[in-house]
């Protein structure tokens, strides 16, 4: 089964941003200056929210290597004996920074080192005594494994990511920790989707749809405009692939409606223009497949015109930043 190319959107990785912010005190003033993005640059980042699971916008990526060196130098066996929980917290920080470097460099070895850091943290944190720290480390482990599994096309890693996210949900709940619960549900959706594409299995797609639907239950446009947009879009992308797998026009209509919901939130909340263009591409691709499934020549012709409009939108977007 060959699935359409559609595009998912990635939320900012708050755990990574917290890891960076919590480690900056270890650096010199000169290196701290390098941590701040250049505010004099007014060009928008038209790739924001498209790179992967380690999106962040608060710090320059130039800071990753210095933080890695500082944290690796800190995490000695003696430090672990003296302050095991603080040692574990810094392992968690190092893991996020290594995973960000792994994504940036497409280096599976860095992802593996990140996973080792999270597992080290889990040796000191416990579900009973330090439950929130334990759950955060499990969620971070899940995201590192998901990112590596997507990059390497490895279903086993994606299975392990699901296990880690499921462990985090033993602590996180919709009522007591809604934001953390929502983030894990969103990431579960992404993991099941990727797993389904590898296995060509509808069951994984169905699980992804449920996970994204759960995340939607705690999202609203005022407080989580991007997350709401991304979850609608990403849920639509799963429904899109499930419809192709099932050759089910009604499922494709459901996907198109979900894309439309994401596009509506994106436009109403005035999110970056490139996100609206991406969702329009996804929606038009789904409509084109629907035309094929239903042998609808008029819809196919309409979609040809829509793709021409989208191409013009891309040209306009690109011309702003040349």
């Amino acid at each position: 089964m060959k699935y359409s190319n559609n595009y998912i959107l990635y939320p900012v990785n708050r755990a990574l941003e917290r890891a960076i912010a919590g480690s900056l005190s270890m650096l010199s003033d000169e290196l701290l200056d390098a941590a701040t993005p250049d505010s004099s640059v007014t060009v928008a980042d038209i790739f924001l929210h498209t790179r992967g699971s380690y999106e962040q916008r608060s710090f320059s990526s130039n800071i990753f290597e210095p933080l890695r060196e500082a944290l690796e130098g800190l995490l000695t066996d003696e430090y672990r004996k003296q302050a095991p929980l603080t040692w574990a917290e810094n392992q968690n920080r190092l893991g996020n920074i290594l995973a960000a470097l792994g994504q940036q460099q497409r280096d599976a070895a860095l992802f593996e080192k990140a996973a080792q850091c999270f597992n080290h943290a889990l040796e000191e944190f416990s579900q009973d005594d330090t439950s929130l720290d334990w759950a955060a480390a499990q969620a971070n482990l899940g995201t590192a494994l998901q990112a590596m599994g997507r990059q390497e096309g490895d279903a086993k890693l994606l299975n392990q990511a699901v296990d880690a996210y499921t462990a985090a949900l033993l602590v996180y709940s919709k009522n007591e920790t809604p934001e953390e619960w929502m983030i894990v549900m969103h990431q579960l959706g992404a993991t099941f989707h990727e797993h389904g594409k590898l296995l060509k299995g509808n069951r994984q797609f169905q699980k992804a749809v449920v996970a994204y639907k759960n995340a939607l239950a705690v999202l609203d446009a005022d407080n989580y405009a991007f997350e709401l947009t991304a979850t609608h879009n990403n849920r639509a992308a799963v429904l899109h692939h499930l419809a192709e797998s099932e050759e089910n026009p009604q499922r494709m209509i459901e996907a198109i409606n979900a894309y439309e919901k994401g596009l509506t939130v994106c436009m109403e909340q005035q999110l970056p223009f490139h996100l609206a263009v991406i969702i329009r591409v996804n929606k038009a691709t789904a409509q084109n497949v629907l035309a094929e499934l239903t042998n609808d020549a008029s819809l196919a012709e309409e979609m040809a015109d829509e793709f021409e409009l989208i191409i013009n939108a891309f040209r306009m977007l690109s011309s702003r930043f040349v």
Side-chain angles (χ1 to χ4, degrees):
M1 177 70 203
K2 181 174 174 57
Y3 300 114
S4 298
N5 288 327
N6 56 24
Y7 304 95
I8 68 169
L9 301 175
Y10 299 90
V12 165
N13 189 314
R14 294 173 180 153
L16 172 60
E17 291 195 332
R18 287 193 296 268
I20 297 170
S23 306
L24 289 178
S25 62
M26 303 173 64
L27 302 181
S28 66
D29 291 342
E30 181 180 357
L31 288 172
L32 282 175
D33 289 340
T36 306
D38 186 354
S39 59
S40 67
V41 177
T42 57
V43 173
D45 181 357
I46 62 172
F47 298 104
L48 182 65
H49 300 302
T50 67
R51 295 183 182 91
S53 300
Y54 290 89
E55 289 276 356
Q56 65 85 30
R57 58 190 177 201
S58 298
F59 304 96
S60 167
S61 60
N62 294 331
I63 206 66
F64 291 160
E65 282 291 357
L67 286 176
R68 172 189 180 179
E69 293 176 8
L71 285 165
E72 286 179 339
L74 175 69
L75 292 167
T76 63
D77 290 340
E78 185 61 29
Y79 182 33
R80 182 176 190 175
K81 291 176 184 177
Q82 292 175 352
L85 294 181
T86 306
W87 178 89
E89 181 181 359
N90 281 303
Q91 285 284 359
N92 214 17
R93 290 170 176 167
L94 177 59
N96 278 300
I97 290 161
L98 286 168
L101 283 166
Q103 176 176 289
Q104 186 183 72
Q105 300 174 19
R106 297 191 59 79
D107 188 336
L110 287 169
F111 280 124
E112 289 171 358
K113 289 181 179 179
Q116 289 171 4
C117 289
F118 297 131
N119 281 315
H120 287 323
L122 288 166
E123 292 170 4
E124 298 297 341
F125 294 143
S126 74
Q127 185 180 348
D128 293 331
D129 297 330
T130 51
S131 60
L132 291 177
D133 289 327
W134 181 84
Q138 291 283 8
N140 291 340
L141 174 61
T143 301
L145 292 168
Q146 179 208 139
M148 180 164 54
R150 182 186 304 111
Q151 176 181 292
E152 301 299 306
D154 190 325
K156 182 179 178 181
L157 290 171
L158 294 169
N159 262 329
Q160 292 171 358
V162 169
D163 290 343
Y165 288 134
T166 303
L169 291 173
L170 295 173
V171 173
Y172 293 150
S173 70
K174 179 180 175 181
N175 293 328
E176 295 184 7
T177 50
E179 183 172 288
E180 290 81 1
W181 184 84
M182 173 272 293
I183 290 170
V184 171
M185 282 296 176
H186 186 104
Q187 295 290 4
L188 267 175
T191 307
F192 282 131
H193 186 188
E194 194 66 30
H195 201 192
K197 287 192 291 182
L198 287 176
L199 298 181
K200 296 179 170 53
N202 292 355
R203 180 61 179 153
Q204 299 304 313
F205 289 152
Q206 290 162 355
K207 290 179 180 179
V209 171
V210 172
Y212 281 130
K213 186 175 180 180
N214 286 339
L216 286 171
V218 297
L219 290 171
D220 63 82
D222 291 334
N223 296 303
Y224 296 102
F226 173 77
E227 289 81 359
L228 181 58
T229 297
T231 305
H232 279 308
N233 175 78
N234 296 358
R235 179 173 174 269
V238 183
L239 289 166
H240 183 157
H241 287 154
L242 182 57
E244 289 179 317
S245 180
E246 296 174 340
E247 298 184 351
N248 184 340
Q250 287 305 121
R251 187 82 75 181
M252 191 62 77
I253 291 170
E254 190 179 353
I256 291 165
N257 290 340
Y259 283 133
E260 184 61 37
K261 289 178 182 178
L263 185 59
T264 298
V265 177
C266 186
M267 298 299 288
E268 288 180 349
Q269 297 298 316
Q270 299 182 336
L271 297 182
F273 181 64
H274 73 280
L275 301 177
V277 174
I278 288 169
I279 300 171
R280 280 185 68 185
V281 169
N282 285 344
K283 180 185 171 187
T285 303
Q287 289 173 307
N288 195 52
V289 176
L290 178 63
E292 294 175 3
L293 289 172
T294 58
N295 296 313
D296 188 333
S298 63
L299 179 58
E301 185 175 346
E302 182 183 339
M303 286 308 99
D305 293 339
E306 174 68 2
F307 278 119
E308 183 65 29
L309 290 173
I310 292 169
I311 290 169
N312 289 335
F314 268 120
R315 287 172 178 160
M316 181 179 69
L317 186 63
S318 300
S319 69
R320 294 182 184 181
F321 310 117
V322 173

